[in-house]
Amino acid sequence: MLTMRPRGTNDIMPGEVETWQYLERQLRHICGEYGYAEIRTPIFEHTELFLRGVGDTTDIVEKEMYTFIDRGERSVTLRPEGTASAVRAYLEDKLYAGPQPVKLYYTGPMFRYDRPQAGRYRQFHQFGVEVFGSHDPAVDAEVIAMSMDFYGRIGLKNLALHVNSVGCPACRPHLRRQLQDFFRPRLASLCPNCRERYEKNPLRILDCKESRCSELGAEAPTTIDCLCDSCLTHFASVKKHLDLLHLPYIVDRRLVRGLDYYTHTAFEIMAPDIGAQSSIGGGGRYNGLVETCGGPPTPGIGYALGLERIILAMKNQGCAIPRSPGLDVFVVTAGREAEHTAFHLLFKIRRAGISADKDYLNRSLKAQMKYAGKAGTRFAVIIGEEELKSDTAVVRDMDAQEQATVAMGEVIKYLQAKMRHAPRLP
Ligand code: AMP
């Protein structure tokens, strides 16, 4: 147990972590361009927030939350998603009183107790955005297009963008009735979960992954059949704005998404080649959520993208993932005295902005050179007895296999000049 991580979690190790850092740079960059500010909320919240904010008929709340009683006898939950926390912060920090819309983004770990499999973990990472305070369908299109822009920038291709409208409180009761009428004669054949959903939230039956339920639901009335005029107009405008950007999408009448809070636009993005867990992101509008959480009526929309699945898709599609460039310099020494000189030089090199390291295992000069080569170091700066006497160092270019003797006081300048002339290719 001591040497095993909990089921459904991952270590992100050197070699892999560069991909994560690359994605994090890209997502911060795109958020800057689109005018989103970062928000960092706690990893855990009062359980009540998710019961209200995610919805107590959802799989997340019913089955998947990491909930525990803390030492102060309060029920807290590791966040299963980011929207509820963003809404809580929007209210707690009174962002609604400032200029609207408020555009926020977040990235970090989320926790759901689900059966782990490829692409499904108990701790996974999301990147998400939320926009509060605007009803404009152009915002729906911006949010959708931004997610597709992000995937495009990291080189993902052949993605399927599914969009739908799930209606609003005005058309939901109609849809609910229609769905209950449709499923009533089929109730006995639905899975036990869906039999419960029939009463609590029949819309979610359309989202069931059980094959008998999806077969039974194939002919069910869809959300689009039941939309009110205002929802139809909104949806038409979202599509119009997506068309203006020439962004291809599929209207997926069965798309309802797992969370209760969605109204109007819902969307999901699938990658074709990562197996059963093919959804690499999704989102939608949640115009009632801020109010449900105790705030003023405020429209909202957002998405969350799953970083593990994005990385899986990038690997499968052979997307270029920049590799770590490795150390610039390894300082190689022979003898105790040289080690002191080297230790001092090492810190000067680093302060000059050049990455550097030295041996800490008392290896022989030959073994140090071998280690520097294996570690992919660009230069070895070698200080032996000869160099100590003449106050010099040998600078060896490991790629070009050339070396020069350089005055100790000139080593940094020499390295800088070399690196300027021939920067290392990523
Ligand atoms: P959701 O918050 O359920 O709408 O999920 C948004 C995205 O997060 C999904 O499209 C997945 O890419 C990712 N995701 C959700 N649950 C998991 C999980 N258990 N493991 C890995 N990724 C997940």
Side-chain angles (χ1 to χ4, degrees):
M1 283 293 269
L2 263 184
T3 53
M4 275 170 66
R5 55 179 190 262
R7 211 160 110 76
T9 66
N10 291 298
D11 295 313
I12 304 174
M13 302 297 282
E16 182 76 17
V17 81
E18 290 77 8
T19 307
W20 287 80
Q21 291 167 342
Y22 165 69
L23 283 182
E24 283 157 11
R25 281 196 303 279
Q26 295 288 331
L27 69 88
R28 288 183 203 293
H29 190 79
I30 195 169
C31 285
E33 283 182 3
Y34 280 73
Y36 288 76
E38 184 176 2
I39 178 172
R40 300 187 186 191
T41 61
I43 297 285
F44 62 91
E45 299 270 5
H46 296 301
T47 301
E48 185 64 25
L49 175 68
F50 300 117
L51 298 184
R52 285 277 198 93
V54 177
D56 48 15
T57 64
T58 58
D59 285 352
I60 293 183
V61 167
E62 283 183 344
K63 301 188 278 201
E64 297 172 3
M65 292 212 297
Y66 275 93
T67 297
F68 58 98
I69 305 296
D70 73 6
R71 286 170 188 265
E73 313 261 298
R74 290 173 205 92
S75 178
V76 292
T77 295
L78 301 184
R79 61 180 188 193
E81 54 97 64
T83 304
S85 303
V87 168
R88 200 252 322 122
Y90 177 81
L91 292 177
E92 191 165 356
D93 291 82
K94 300 196 172 46
L95 298 186
Y96 54 83
Q100 308 293 306
V102 172
K103 298 168 80 172
L104 304 171
Y105 81 91
Y106 60 82
T107 184
M110 305 293 161
F111 305 85
R112 294 184 196 171
Y113 190 88
D114 204 347
R115 201 169 38 78
Q117 63 181 82
R120 187 161 73 199
Y121 312 101
R122 289 180 175 171
Q123 175 174 334
F124 60 99
H125 296 76
Q126 287 185 338
F127 152 49
V129 305
E130 315 290 349
V131 185
F132 295 103
S134 171
H135 284 283
D136 191 341
V139 174
D140 306 39
E142 165 174 313
V143 163
I144 295 172
M146 180 194 182
S147 69
M148 297 307 286
D149 191 3
F150 177 69
Y151 295 127
R153 289 180 192 210
I154 55 176
L156 286 176
K157 295 196 183 70
N158 304 326
L159 304 180
L161 166 62
H162 292 228
V163 297
N164 191 19
S165 173
V166 294
C168 69
C171 36
R172 275 286 168 83
H174 177 47
L175 175 62
R176 200 185 145 85
R177 266 195 313 276
Q178 294 270 320
L179 285 170
Q180 284 182 328
D181 287 348
F182 176 85
F183 282 113
R184 194 169 301 117
R186 300 166 173 84
L187 202 53
S189 315
L190 292 174
C191 77
N193 265 341
C194 282
R195 262 176 266 150
E196 269 185 45
R197 287 171 180 151
Y198 173 83
E199 284 300 338
K200 289 202 230 160
N201 188 355
L203 196 62
R204 295 282 324 283
I205 301 175
L206 301 177
D207 193 37
C208 185
K209 302 289 176 280
E210 295 273 337
S211 54
R212 55 183 161 149
C213 298
S214 40
E215 278 162 28
L216 277 176
E219 300 299 319
T222 63
T223 58
I224 290 186
D225 302 324
C226 306
L227 293 183
C228 64
D229 286 348
S230 139
C231 282
L232 278 173
T233 312
H234 186 94
F235 192 44
S237 180
V238 174
K239 289 186 288 181
K240 170 79 189 157
H241 282 85
L242 293 177
D243 294 339
L244 285 172
L245 297 173
H246 302 292
L247 197 64
Y249 56 86
I250 301 157
V251 174
D252 178 350
R253 292 161 160 262
R254 316 218 69 78
L255 177 67
V256 296
R257 310 221 354 99
L259 310 181
D260 280 356
Y261 51 58
Y262 288 114
T263 59
H264 303 86
T265 313
F267 65 99
E268 191 146 1
I269 302 101
M270 317 288 179
D273 35 21
I274 57 168
Q277 302 302 315
S278 63
S279 161
I280 57 169
R285 210 168 241 291
Y286 45 79
N287 286 352
L289 184 58
V290 174
E291 209 177 345
T292 304
C293 293
T298 310
I301 177 163
Y303 63 65
L305 317 184
L307 295 183
E308 281 82 0
R309 292 190 197 165
I310 288 179
I311 290 174
L312 267 180
M314 287 172 79
K315 285 187 183 154
N316 284 353
Q317 295 195 10
C319 298
I321 299 174
R323 64 181 176 86
S324 162
L327 272 185
D328 296 320
V329 169
F330 197 80
V331 185
V332 173
T333 59
R336 201 71 203 153
E337 220 181 307
E339 194 274 337
H340 289 163
T341 309
F343 193 64
H344 192 214
L345 178 65
L346 175 67
F347 278 74
K348 281 211 242 171
I349 295 175
R350 288 170 174 165
R351 258 180 250 132
I354 299 170
S355 63
D357 211 348
K358 75 180 272 299
D359 172 64
Y360 287 112
L361 288 178
N362 216 2
R363 291 186 177 91
S364 70
L365 193 138
K366 201 171 146 198
Q368 290 177 49
M369 288 300 290
K370 202 166 154 192
Y371 176 84
K374 266 202 191 150
T377 314
R378 167 117 193 241
F379 298 102
V381 172
I382 306 158
I383 308 173
E385 278 175 29
E386 279 301 306
E387 288 75 29
L388 265 187
K389 271 192 225 143
S390 54
D391 198 26
T392 57
V394 171
V395 180
R396 182 172 175 80
D397 186 327
M398 307 285 277
D399 295 342
Q401 302 204 349
E402 290 164 3
Q403 62 186 48
T405 302
V406 181
M408 188 61 84
E410 299 293 315
V411 168
I412 290 173
K413 259 197 234 149
Y414 180 85
L415 287 168
Q416 283 169 333
K418 277 267 198 185
M419 287 166 72
R420 235 188 343 266
H421 284 134
R424 208 170 208 195
L425 295 174

